[in-house]
Each structure stands twice: as C-alpha cells, then as structure tokens.
Amino acid sequence: MTRIRLLSLVILILPGVVQAHHIRGIPHYSSQDHYPETPVYEVDQVVDGYDVTFTYYEIPGQMALDLAMYIRDTLPEPTPYEGPVNFLVWGRHEDPDQTHPFTAYRNATNVYKVGWVYEDAGAYYVRIVFSDDQGEHRAVFDLSVGESSRTWTYLGGSVALVVMAAAATGIIRKKRRRSPGTSS
Amino acid sequence: MNDHSCCEVDNGVHLMAGLPPWMFYFGVAAILVISFAFYFKKESDGGDWRLDLSRLAPVNYLLSRRWLQFAVQVPILLLFLVVLYAGFFGDQRINIAPVLTWTIWWGLLVFVILLLGKFWCFACPWDMVASITSRLRFWRVNREPLTSGLKWPRQARNITLAIGLFIALTWLELGYKVTTSPYATAMMGLIMLLMVVLPAFVFEKKSFCRYGCLVGRISGLYANMAPVEVRARDRQVCLDCKTKDCYVGNDRGYACPTGLNLGTLKENTYCTMCTECFKSCPSDNVALNIRPFASDILHYPKPRTDEAVLAVILLALTAFHGLTMTPLWEDLTGTSPSLIAWLNGVFGLGPLFSFTVGMIAILAVPFLLYQGLSWLSARIAGSGISPWRVLVAFAYSLIPIALFYHLAHNAMHVAMEGQAILPLLSDPFGYGWNLFGTAGQTYAALLGDQTVWATQVLLVLTGHVIGIKVAARAGDRLFGRGGRAIWAQTPLLFAMILFSFGSLWIMHLDMNMRTSLM
C-alpha cells in the first residue's frame, strides 16, 4: 500500500519536474538573444499604461549581469515603446543620487539591454525612467546578485560552537559531580 | 490565476493605495466617539467565564503525552530547515525563504497569538533544537540534562535583553532590508537558533525564553489578549501542595521552563504553553481554559516597569515599521521628497545612517510624549503618585492598540502578498523546479483592497476600544473615580486617541508593496 502511495506521488510530481525546464522563459521575449540560456528571473510591472518586463542574465565567470527590459503599452494589441530608457542601479545602502545612470536604446528585438558590473554580492535596486508625450514614467525593481562564499564557514562555525558548548558543559558537570565525592 | 486585481506587480516596487479619505475620516470620528463612550462608562465585572478544554478526554489524553510537543515541533523545524537551506544554498534572486519567513510566518504569527496565545512557543523549532541538545532526549524526561544550570544573572532578570534584541532586529530587518534577502533571512534564523541553543547549556531551565527571547516576550505581552490560558483548576490545591512539582519537575515532567509556579500564575506573559505542568502535576490540577478575549490585560495583576517600557516600544516600533514602507519615508522612484532623502541631505552620511537617526527619533517621540503626559497626569492627580508609576500603570493600555495595529498591518501583507507563496512552493530553492505546477504563475490577492481597508479600520477600532477599557481600569486602580481622578486620566486618554489616529494615518498613506517585506 505504501509503495503504491509513493508511486502515485512520484507520478504526480514527475510531469511537473519535466515541465519545469520550460517554466522560466520559453517562449520568452528575449530568449533569442541568449538561446539556449533562459532568463532565471522575470518580473512585470504596469506603469502609467505601459507593461514593463524586467529580467536579468548572469554573465558566466564575471561579476556582471545583463539587465534587459521590454516595454510595451497595455492596449489589447500592444506596441513596443521606442524611445531611450534611463537605467539607475544602486545598492541597498547606497545613495541613488550618488550613482550614475546610463541610457539604453531599443535593439532589433525591441529589448533594452545594458551590461552592469558589480563589486559586491547583495541586494540592489534598478530604477528605469522613460518618457513620452504624457511625461516621465518610472519603475523600480529589486535585484539580488551573487552568493556569499562564507556560508560553510558560518554553518560549520555554528555547529562547532554548539559542540564545544556541549563538551564544555559536560566537562563542568563531571567535575561538579566528582568534587563532592573528593571532599567527602 | 494570472489575475492582477489589486496589485499589478509581483515584485519590485509598486504602491498599494492607503485607506480612502472617507474611511480614514470615519475611523477618526469613530475613535473620538468610542473614546468618550467607553472611558466614562461604568464597567461591570461580569462575563469572566472559563471553559476547561482539558476536561475533554481526547484533549486530556494529548496534553498528558510527552511526545505531543515533539510531534508539533517536527514539521515546524522542517520548514525552518527549508528556510535555512533556501537562504544559504538556494538561488539568491528568488526563493521561498523571505516569503515563508516574513510574509507567512511573521505575518500570521500575530494572528496566532491573538487566537491561540503562546502556541508559537509550544511549536518553536529553536526551542526544539535547544531541548534535544541539552536534554539529550527527544521527548522523555532526563533528570540530568546537559547544562551547567547556572542562574540567570540577577541584574538581568527582566526583559531588557529582549527589548534590546527587538530593537536590534527591527534595525537589521528594515535598515538592512533583511526581509527581501534570502541569505540574510537564513542568517538571522541561524543567529536566532544559536541564541536559543547556547544559553540552554549554561543556564537553568529555559532562561533565555524567559528573559531574552524577543519573539517570546512580544508574544508574551500580546498573549494577555488571547482567549486561551493554562491555569490551576483550583488555586487552593496549589497552595496546599508541598512538592511544587510544576516548579521543580519530576519523573513525568520538566520544571516549568520559565520558572512559573502554577499556584501564583495569573497572566499569560511568561507561560510558554509547553504543557510540562500537565505532565508533572500529581493532582491533575492544570486546566487549558478558553476564556473571554483580553482577560489578563483587563485585570493585569502586577504592572512591571520593563513590561511597560516594552509596551511603549512595541507601539512605537510597529508604527515605525509601517511608516518605513511608505513613500513618505523612502521614495525609490525619486519623484517626491522623503524623510530618508531629507536626512541624507542634512547629515550627508548615507542612507543607513539616516535610517538609524530616523529610527531613534521615531522611537523616542512616542516615549517622550507618553512620559510627558504621564507627568501631567500625575501633576493633575496631585496625590503623591509619581509620573513613572502612572506611565507603568497605563502603558498596558497601549498593548491592544499596538497589537491591533500590528494585526491591521499584517492583514494587508498576508491578504495582498500571501499568494506569493504559491509559485514558490513549486520551486522553493529557485532551481527552476515546478513540483506542483504553480511555478511561474501569478495569483490574485487573497482579498480585495476594499475588504482589506475595512478590516484594517475595524481592527484599529477594536484595539482602541480594548485599550480604552484597560486604561479606564488602570485609572480606577490608580486614581479612584470621579472629580479630580477623571481630569488626571485625561492626558493619557488623549495619548491613546493620538496613537490610534497615528495608526489610521499611517494606513491612509500609500504603501510600497515589496513581496515579503513586512
């Protein structure tokens, strides 16, 4: 009975796992630029009648990302935005006013793309600004990059700390038990 | 699915509109009416009933089983391990750790406290690890646990440490934006685990739970509002008891981890609902009662300075929490002036410094205001009562205001952002899995904005009503009734009205919605 249950669980899960390969972006608005690499992160934001899709790709071996954006209006048959887009990326503890913006222009596939190099892993904001006849439009996205190389140090250190505390407590307890016997 | 009814964005920054003006003004008017209607109304002491659930055979059976707590803690521990793994080893761009921790756990925790009291302490995964490592048993009693058994330092036998940790957590959480970072979330979980496990080797019982655990102490004050309690069935039986098994433990159950004596237990603040007393009591004299809401807070037996300070800080920090999520505090689009930008301009020392200065100021303002009004109240009373005594007695009336603002704030997060957990269940570590077919999908918010706003206003009003009742009773005890006593209480009534207005005012501001940001 248990085997049957387990088997049905596997059957339920398998199609999901197989399908998972395609979840993050195929068909994706800019997958042709990076094919077969698919974007791992993609978010949408509706700003003043524009649908902004933001994604980013890792550049292997470098502390750098390709930030990509697709902007189209929200009409039933959307038209891509054509003008330039201003990008500003700043860390969670940086002052955005102290950061230099850069401008991106639409490429042949209607995608705005900029390369961005970072020095530290961590959390960042991306602010984009674009304009049309109605004025200026802004959107802000979250960005998390990099991994800490100290994970195992922290985890190992924590386990070591607990083991040492347990050992020290054991020794103290033994000594305490012996002392009344010695004195008597 | 794929329905963006109230929140257009899954991530990034987008605004959730605050309360509409008519709802805000309705709330303000209702607070004024309620304040005077309830404050000067004679209270009857009726309705102080109890329903002892442990008289029911199945409940009694479960409560007397040693494995019960272990069985409840195991799934919670597994979820905690998922958070640690996702935070440390999952994809840092998006995984389940922040949403599960800050939107689901932290968001719902306040609701759990309101309904089930200290149930979280009973289910606490950190406590489980501490218990297993120091007791060296999964659930059986070990009369010789692995601990030095030292007494908690006498000078620190208050909740100052917990208050300090609470302020530090808020600073880390909001200043370092821990709530949006999987890695930082896992790191905080690990630190919390060590803070609970290591003292268990050094100090007797669960001293850290009693004096240092910020979650336990905050939930302790809030749990005085809960309709659940563990109490002696017959206090006389406890007074006649010579062995005090609940306090010292025996072969069937551990000593109360927070050092409580069932015979003198009159409030929920320090009870962790661990159910050890159900096992150790030789007279079967322990009850798990259902009772009216806010029973303890209305009859708080012994106001304490440290608890009163925590109550004021709770109110200030919960309001601060809400304020930091509004564009008034920080405008990421850079289109309108904000407090952080202004502080940046004044000090020029960066956002983190500005945040710290802002936090200190916002913590200090309610505290100083309350202190000033307590002084005024004592002056008007003119009966030799010190301002500090007034503050301590009345501070408990702020707990319902803080709790219900907290509930109102979290209701918005859970209702508007809680659905973010669904896609993450299919891909908890950000590895590109789709276990349940929900990955990559977007889901509508659980409730519409109108429902959330109405719920928020109702919650703030409920907190205000209970707060007013608590203050009225505190006033009666301290000043008596009538004449000068009424005038003496007026400044503190004014403070409560001001704080409740403040709650509504923060909720009427638009709010930066960031998935998992609590």
Side-chain angles (χ1 to χ4, degrees), chain A residues 56 92 138 173 176-177, chain B residues 13 93 144-145 148 180 333:
Chain A
Y56 54 95
R92 288 278 162 85
R138 292 169 177 238
R173 212 171 55 153
R176 268 200 207 147
R177 268 195 212 144
Chain B
V13 173
R93 282 157 288 213
E144 292 191 342
S148 302
T180 52
T333 61

Side-chain angles (χ1 to χ4, degrees), chain B residues 3 16 36 41 68 96 154 167 172 305 335 349 352 355 373 447 465 502:
Chain B
D3 177 8
M16 178 201 165
F36 293 99
K41 189 182 156 202
L68 176 67
I96 202 168
R154 185 175 293 276
I167 294 171
L172 276 174
T305 304
T335 47
L349 290 172
L352 193 60
F355 173 86
L373 291 171
L447 295 174
V465 168

Side-chain angles (χ1 to χ4, degrees), chain A residues 69-133:
Chain A
M69 199 158 290
Y70 179 46
I71 306 173
R72 68 278 194 200
D73 60 41
T74 51
L75 296 173
E77 287 183 23
T79 316
Y81 173 74
E82 294 180 350
V85 174
N86 209 264
F87 281 71
L88 185 72
V89 187
W90 76 99
R92 288 278 162 85
H93 305 114
E94 292 168 2
D95 187 348
D97 296 336
Q98 304 293 322
T99 314
H100 292 291
F102 36 94
T103 305
Y105 297 91
R106 189 172 64 128
N107 69 14
T109 55
N110 295 322
V111 171
Y112 292 84
K113 193 180 283 185
V114 288
W116 174 67
V117 180
Y118 58 94
E119 290 175 1
D120 300 311
Y124 293 84
Y125 292 119
V126 179
R127 181 199 292 164
I128 62 145
V129 182
F130 58 98
S131 342
D132 61 9
D133 302 344

Side-chain angles (χ1 to χ4, degrees), chain B residues 278-290:
Chain B
F278 285 93
K279 283 101 181 174
S280 60
C281 180
S283 312
D284 192 21
N285 189 40
V286 191
L288 176 67
N289 290 325
I290 300 288

